[in-house]
Amino acid sequence: MSDERIAALEARLARLEDEEAVRRTWRDYCRCLDAEDWAGLADVYAPDGALEMVGLNGLVPGIDGVYRGREDIIQRFYAPAMDSAAKETSGLFATGHISTNMQVTLDGDRATTLAYFFEIVANDQVLIGTYQHRMRRDPDRWRFTFLRITVRYRARLAASEVGGMSLREILARPLP
């Protein structure tokens, strides 16, 4: 195999590895959010990262806006948003995601993405929207430098006899 062909294969492999690492960060984000793992969630953001929330005011008044830095993002956005929806004592859980269709555009150590989400909140509301990320490659992983969450559709569900387990409870159970 020629040196030129080996170099082309190495470049393709590096691109595929980067795309998978970007998606892994996104999946870590969804898992940490649903499990209310604040330290893990903070780790997917760059220390100087930012989050912009659009369209959630109808569910959590005053929550739309821009949050900057890990502590601000976790303490002023995620924790209050989850607290407003979680009622675990009555079997209502803050969030559960289905995230899909992620498109990744790579540019060296930077990436931009678009992904969709479908989310059940507090067991009786549905949110459908988009995630738009800007990410950068750090020495140990890809991290969000910016995330815009846009709620495109929301509705209250007719639900009765709702119950279940939180993701935190599920993850705490060891596999045999």
Side-chain angles (χ1 to χ4, degrees):
M1 188 177 288
S2 71
D3 288 347
E4 198 173 274
R5 184 163 171 139
I6 290 172
L9 286 172
E10 287 173 343
R12 286 176 51 204
L13 179 60
R15 181 182 52 78
L16 291 171
E17 288 175 339
D18 283 342
E19 286 179 357
E20 179 57 22
V22 164
R23 286 185 177 98
R24 184 177 312 114
T25 296
W26 175 53
R27 289 188 305 266
D28 288 347
Y29 164 84
C30 291
R31 178 187 45 80
C32 290
L33 175 58
D34 291 347
E36 297 183 50
D37 173 0
W38 302 136
L41 188 62
D43 188 56
V44 302
Y45 282 91
D48 60 344
L51 176 142
E52 179 184 8
M53 183 67 237
V54 179
L56 195 58
N57 273 340
L59 183 62
V60 184
I63 200 86
D64 283 3
V66 177
Y67 301 83
R68 298 185 187 287
R70 287 176 173 165
E71 185 174 340
D72 190 46
I73 291 167
I74 300 300
Q75 298 303 318
R76 287 193 45 244
F77 176 72
Y78 287 112
M82 297 294 263
D83 286 346
S84 72
K87 296 171 186 70
E88 289 187 35
T89 56
S90 60
L92 300 177
F93 305 108
T95 185
H97 281 85
I98 299 172
S99 298
T100 187
N101 298 3
M102 180 177 256
Q103 299 170 351
V104 178
T105 302
L106 294 169
D107 184 13
D109 290 338
R110 305 279 179 192
T112 56
T113 74
L114 172 65
Y116 306 126
F117 68 84
F118 177 95
E119 182 176 5
I120 302 292
V121 179
N123 293 17
D124 69 350
Q125 296 188 50
V126 63
L127 303 175
I128 298 172
T130 57
Y131 291 127
Q132 294 171 281
H133 303 90
R134 279 195 303 248
M135 294 187 188
R136 76 169 177 236
R137 181 197 329 262
D138 281 352
D140 60 333
R141 71 176 304 156
W142 285 83
R143 287 197 167 82
F144 301 170
T145 57
F146 179 81
L147 168 58
R148 177 181 296 131
I149 305 170
T150 304
V151 175
R152 298 179 56 213
Y153 174 86
R154 68 180 172 81
R156 184 163 304 279
L157 302 172
S160 63
E161 300 182 37
V162 177
M165 294 177 67
S166 70
L167 183 59
R168 191 177 23 204
E169 291 172 304
I170 292 167
L171 295 175
R173 295 181 67 177
L175 295 172

